[in-house]
Amino acid sequence: MKRPSKSFEIALSAISCAVATVFLVLGSFSPFLLATGYIVGCFALMVPLSKEFIWGNVLAFIGASILSFLLGGFNYWRLLPFVVFFGLHPLANFLQTKFRWNMIVCFIVKAAWFDCAMYLCWRFTFEMNVAVDWINQYIYYVIFIGGTLFFAVYDRMIFLCQKSVNAAVKRIRR
């Protein structure tokens, strides 16, 4: 099997960065599309990983984060979940699969990472805007119990989506 050229890696990473940026910018301007922007941005960053372009993925993530910040009206609070978790999660799953790390240990670490990322987003984004005391009182339970349960389903779905992206990109011959 012939190794893909560097120009192919750059082109695939640039397309990935562009798609992620477009959906993150749309999510920055429309609260309805914000979660869609995170998920499609996550899917877009899976494309370089399907050809095992780790540096292409990292550069696409950095480029999408910076461009989304600049083009999205400097809304750092809307991009914070993507920057601290959703954009890096495909890379963590790829490394877990490639090096065959223990699934249980990796799940515990990634779930704690997800919960901490969501807590960070809560502290910097919503806590200051929410005046309802009962939400602030029970937010730890919601984030750390509900977040972990949500993450268990989300992580499994992202593994399955990576397989789908791998199958789609495998058709590209380079």
Side-chain angles (χ1 to χ4, degrees):
M1 182 172 157
K2 187 176 136 181
R3 172 136 169 82
S5 65
K6 281 294 189 184
S7 61
F8 180 67
E9 179 177 1
I10 292 168
L12 204 60
S13 301
I15 291 169
S16 170
C17 177
V19 170
T21 300
V22 165
F23 279 92
L24 288 170
V25 168
L26 285 174
S28 292
F29 290 127
S30 170
F32 177 72
L33 295 175
L34 189 59
T36 305
Y38 296 154
I39 299 300
V40 174
C42 180
F43 290 165
L45 292 177
M46 290 179 189
V47 173
L49 293 174
S50 65
K51 292 286 188 180
E52 298 188 5
F53 297 147
I54 294 174
W55 286 111
N57 172 270
V58 170
L59 292 176
F61 165 73
I62 292 170
S65 299
I66 292 172
L67 287 172
S68 299
F69 175 71
L70 295 175
L71 298 174
F74 303 99
N75 290 331
Y76 71 88
W77 56 90
R78 296 218 176 176
L79 294 174
L80 189 62
F82 180 80
V83 171
V84 297
F85 181 76
F86 290 104
L88 296 171
H89 184 243
L91 180 62
N93 283 351
F94 174 79
L95 294 174
Q96 175 187 347
T97 304
K98 182 174 179 153
F99 295 114
R100 296 184 178 157
W101 291 333
N102 187 335
M103 288 177 50
I104 296 170
V105 172
C106 286
F107 174 78
I108 292 169
V109 169
K110 290 189 301 184
W113 174 32
F114 176 76
D115 292 343
C116 291
M118 293 305 107
Y119 177 73
L120 178 75
C121 293
W122 171 259
R123 292 290 290 181
F124 284 110
T125 305
F126 299 109
E127 184 180 34
M128 295 168 261
N129 298 329
V130 177
V132 181
D133 290 333
W134 67 270
I135 291 177
N136 288 331
Q137 183 179 0
Y138 295 111
I139 195 64
Y140 298 109
Y141 298 115
V142 170
I143 289 176
F144 293 110
I145 295 171
T148 303
L149 294 174
F150 170 77
F151 178 73
V153 174
Y154 174 78
D155 191 43
R156 183 67 188 143
M157 292 299 125
I158 290 297
F159 271 116
L160 295 174
C161 290
Q162 181 68 52
K163 287 182 181 180
S164 298
V165 169
N166 290 351
V169 174
K170 187 176 183 180
R171 296 178 189 159
I172 301 173
R173 297 194 182 181
R174 270 315 233 157

